[in-house]
Amino acid sequence: MHLPHQRGPLHDLPDDPAAYDAVLAGVTEEALTRLTPEGGLEHPAARDDIGDTSLGITSLLALAWQRTKDPRLPEAVRRSLAFHLRERVFTEDNPGYPNLRSRDSGLPYARYVLDAGAHPIGDWPSTVWALLQAVNVLDAADGLIDDEQVHELRELASGYWKWLTEATFFNPQEAGNQAIGCVVGGLQLARHLPSEEGEPIRAKAIGLYVDEIRARRVRGRGALLPPEHGGAYDNNYGPISLSFLARAHLVSGEEIFAEDGDALARYIDARLTVGGFDNGGPRYSEQHSGFESVLGLRYFGRRIGADLGRYRGDTRWGRHAVQRDGGIDGHFAFMLCWQIQDTTPWHRDPSKDPLRHQLRAGTVSVAFEDSMTPSLIEAAGTYYLPAAVDRQHGFGPVTDGFLLCRPMGETRVRDLRTDALTAKLVTKPVVGRDHVLRHVRSLYVTDGTSLWVTVAVERLDGTPYLLAGMPYAADDGDRVRRTAEADVVSAGDLRLTHPPTESVDHFDTRAERTQEQAAFALAADPRGYGNPDDGWRRLVTSSALEADPAPGAPEEQHVFAVRYGPGGPFAPSFESTPAGLTVRTEAFTALMGDPAGDTHGEPELELTPR
């Protein structure tokens, strides 16, 4: 089975002016066919996320008219705008909406679901999206719509802004992408008002960003990130936040948006594999945005010099939102407008700077958690997730059912690159159930095709093994498919084990189930609301690669050695010296320094290709 949402890299979609004109031409023809006698442009099957959809298609038609002057468009824009102003503006409180600070304000807002009280929780973001669609229409209004409609639309946008920032609590869902989108709406609205009205809105928008978003950032993998539904990052909404930061910087010129966007972009670069696969987040574990991410990935990828466009988006939404029949849905259409208007080219080369939380070369990559335990390994087109044993998740030595990967003290990292090899040495102190402090040294070396992992630790009791990951997915053309296979060899015996029990808290990679489905089954909240990562942490066991200790290791140590990806015979040798542990493989000789490190406690690392 294929993973449903992780598809092709977003930078593979053509984005030259001719390609975007073709997209707008397709939108135009479908919209003109769909336009109802009342002026509506909504997809007939649309039910939720509907409050901004007709106006979104109106904004795309307005942009198309700017670029082509198609004579059919002015009438369609005026009729569809009149429909929104007449039929999709609500001023009476939605029954059951819980986030009002002021009742019966009479201010306009957009509904997530049109029926009163049907699903009011989504009204805040729907109003943000409607505000952004409105200001996009205002951007293209000159010569297209008459003064009366311009005045009505400007008043409506101002009312949306007041409802979002005065009548309700700001950012009630604790969703960074929604909150930054609201800030962008205020910044764009300010440009359409006289300075005495616009400047206070601009100042308030920036103030909200500083006080309500930036001050509440959450730390993840060394970076401060906009909070997303209670977590630091979501692989669907995180790149969308990056797009909003790009637009905020383009509209305002304020460096704060560029600085924070750079930080988020570097974080995304570090957690993405070479193949663009990503996993995890506090809202959706495996659902990926499409066109909504393009602006931010392209804009900040160029700024930081990284190929962020390798991100595997949902290319079914590669241009705009669609319904199940493939028909256009105007939801989030402002993002397509913005990416068409911004002509920043993709940066397609990898960043050359070593990143603490990433090892990357060629087609091999390792993304690391805060603990410097791999969160994702990619080699030979296969993606490995941390495995689970006795409710513990990660990569590392296991003794008597206890996984030694959680640091108890400072974790040290040393990066090294030669002409042919890229390496990272991670040294972390860990404590087992026996309360003995041990130093786990993990060496990751890649030639861009294969990945060698060597783990050394003071000798362990019992029959230890290395928990070496769970093969989960593999590239399959422009798709990603589930897998239970692995191209891995080990110096000691290697096993691919599977849970003996079929139940929700035991994940067997041979079953047709995704990580996201399993995580939501274990989560405390309904799918779409809870944190699937919290659910996944409740997993008891999973399929797992288990590697026995390598033969020939020094007596005082247990050493584990595995290779992910292709290669010939694998028979590494090891030698303990006063300087540390020397490892010899078919591809390199490496010195893993003594755990005590140099005079500053930093681990020594030497690497020589063979």
Side-chain angles (χ1 to χ4, degrees):
M1 59 176 290
H2 287 109
L3 299 182
H5 298 281
Q6 302 214 27
R7 296 178 180 242
L10 290 176
H11 64 202
D12 286 352
L13 292 169
D15 63 349
D16 57 277
Y20 279 134
D21 282 339
V23 171
L24 288 175
V27 170
T28 295
E29 296 308 320
E30 184 175 339
L32 291 176
T33 300
R34 179 186 299 172
L35 187 66
T36 67
E38 296 79 19
L41 287 169
E42 293 157 359
H43 190 286
R47 181 178 179 272
D48 55 17
D49 266 327
I50 196 172
D52 70 307
T53 61
S54 182
L55 189 59
I57 297 181
T58 301
S59 72
L60 291 173
L61 297 182
L63 179 61
W65 181 82
Q66 268 194 331
R67 293 168 71 91
T68 67
K69 294 299 186 287
D70 185 331
R72 300 173 298 170
L73 293 177
E75 178 64 19
V77 168
R78 292 164 193 156
R79 285 176 56 196
S80 60
L81 178 55
F83 168 82
H84 181 85
L85 293 169
R86 184 180 66 249
E87 303 289 344
R88 294 296 179 257
V89 178
F90 296 88
T91 56
E92 294 183 358
D93 296 350
N94 200 352
Y97 185 70
N99 299 315
L100 291 175
R101 299 170 60 190
S102 173
R103 297 203 176 275
D104 301 318
S105 68
L107 291 169
Y109 66 94
R111 285 186 177 173
Y112 177 75
V113 175
L114 297 179
D115 296 337
H119 195 341
I121 196 69
D123 288 355
W124 202 87
S126 289
T127 304
V128 174
W129 313 148
L131 168 60
L132 292 169
Q133 313 283 28
V135 292
N136 273 4
V137 175
L138 287 172
D139 285 347
D142 188 26
L144 180 61
I145 58 179
D146 60 36
D147 292 344
E148 183 178 350
Q149 279 194 321
V150 168
H151 174 75
E152 284 188 76
L153 189 57
R154 191 183 291 130
E155 289 296 305
L156 175 62
S158 298
Y160 282 154
W161 172 255
K162 290 179 181 178
W163 188 86
L164 291 164
T165 60
E166 297 175 14
T168 70
F169 289 95
F170 184 79
N171 191 20
Q173 295 185 25
E174 297 183 358
N177 76 96
Q178 298 172 10
I180 305 171
C182 183
V183 168
V184 173
L187 294 172
Q188 286 200 223
L189 172 62
R191 302 191 305 178
H192 290 284
L193 299 173
S195 59
E196 64 273 14
E197 298 176 32
E199 280 305 313
I201 291 177
R202 174 188 166 91
K204 184 167 186 175
I206 294 173
L208 285 169
Y209 180 76
V210 172
D211 297 335
E212 300 293 337
I213 303 170
R214 197 169 202 259
R216 299 170 187 258
R217 287 178 298 171
V218 181
R219 185 172 294 279
R221 306 189 195 191
L224 287 171
L225 309 168
E228 189 56 64
H229 290 284
Y233 176 82
D234 183 288
N235 61 9
N236 178 33
Y237 292 117
I240 295 175
S241 285
L242 193 66
S243 288
F244 283 128
L245 287 169
R247 184 62 177 176
H249 185 237
L250 287 164
V251 171
S252 71
E254 294 288 336
E255 279 304 302
I256 190 172
F257 299 117
E259 293 168 5
D260 292 355
D262 288 350
L264 177 54
R266 292 190 180 98
Y267 171 90
I268 293 173
D269 185 34
R271 70 177 290 146
L272 273 186
T273 60
V274 171
F277 181 84
D278 190 15
N279 182 273
R283 185 67 182 273
Y284 297 110
S285 244
E286 294 181 316
Q287 293 198 25
H288 275 48
S289 49
F291 74 100
E292 313 101 309
S293 301
V294 167
L295 174 64
L297 295 170
R298 197 170 65 193
Y299 185 77
F300 283 106
R302 173 63 54 175
R303 277 185 57 92
I304 69 169
D307 56 335
L308 299 184
R310 69 187 189 277
Y311 180 91
R312 281 187 179 271
D314 191 334
T315 49
R316 293 171 300 182
W317 280 39
R319 299 303 192 182
H320 45 67
V322 296
Q323 290 285 336
R324 293 188 178 185
D325 65 357
I328 185 174
D329 187 312
H331 178 55
F332 247 68
F334 50 83
M335 280 293 190
L336 177 57
C337 291
W338 296 345
Q339 66 170 276
I340 291 174
Q341 292 164 335
D342 179 65
T343 57
T344 301
W346 286 110
H347 183 93
R348 296 182 178 274
D349 298 321
S351 170
K352 299 189 184 305
D353 298 330
L355 301 174
R356 178 180 175 90
H357 296 92
Q358 179 196 67
L359 175 74
R360 178 185 176 191
T363 59
V364 173
S365 55
V366 185
F368 295 87
E369 296 282 8
D370 281 316
S371 64
M372 291 307 297
T373 297
S375 63
L376 193 56
I377 287 177
E378 172 190 19
T382 298
Y383 303 100
Y384 303 83
L385 298 180
V389 56
D390 291 345
R391 303 182 189 276
Q392 305 159 94
H393 300 213
F395 291 75
V398 177
T399 177
D400 295 329
F402 189 82
L403 174 61
L404 297 169
C405 74
R406 293 169 297 281
M408 181 64 71
E410 188 65 26
T411 299
R412 312 279 186 157
V413 179
R414 177 63 63 90
D415 287 284
L416 186 63
R417 185 186 295 268
T418 71
D419 289 342
L421 300 169
T422 304
K424 187 184 294 285
L425 175 62
V426 177
T427 301
K428 65 173 72 171
V430 298
V431 176
R433 285 201 174 101
D434 56 7
H435 295 274
V436 174
L437 181 70
R438 295 177 174 87
H439 292 272
V440 176
R441 286 174 290 169
S442 303
L443 175 64
Y444 306 85
V445 181
T446 180
D447 61 358
T449 301
S450 296
L451 173 71
W452 290 262
V453 178
T454 306
V455 179
V457 63
E458 291 93 336
R459 196 159 191 86
L460 301 166
D461 296 330
T463 55
Y465 63 89
L466 180 73
L467 194 65
M470 175 183 74
Y472 176 69
D475 291 339
D476 185 14
D478 63 352
R479 298 292 302 276
V480 178
R481 61 175 170 81
R482 284 276 286 101
T483 188
E485 299 176 353
D487 184 5
V488 181
V489 294
S490 169
D493 289 340
L494 181 70
R495 303 171 294 278
L496 177 56
T497 65
H498 301 285
T501 305
E502 287 189 18
S503 68
V504 68
D505 51 2
H506 298 271
F507 188 79
D508 192 326
T509 57
R510 297 169 299 181
E512 287 198 356
R513 193 178 218 184
T514 66
Q515 186 266 355
E516 181 181 312
Q517 289 170 334
F520 267 116
L522 291 167
D525 297 301
R527 182 181 180 88
Y529 296 94
N531 186 340
D533 283 358
D534 281 347
W536 185 250
R537 292 185 190 103
R538 296 185 174 94
L539 192 71
V540 176
T541 60
S542 72
S543 298
L545 289 164
E546 300 177 356
D548 285 341
E555 283 190 12
E556 72 279 7
Q557 298 180 56
H558 270 124
V559 179
F560 309 88
V562 297
R563 185 186 67 207
Y564 301 81
F570 182 61
S573 63
F574 313 95
E575 179 185 0
S576 182
T577 69
L581 179 68
T582 298
V583 181
R584 294 182 177 89
T585 74
E586 73 280 11
F588 61 85
T589 299
L591 173 66
M592 302 168 62
D594 185 271
D598 61 17
T599 56
H600 300 288
E602 297 299 326
E604 301 276 0
L605 175 60
E606 296 178 7
L607 186 64
T608 305
R610 297 187 67 179

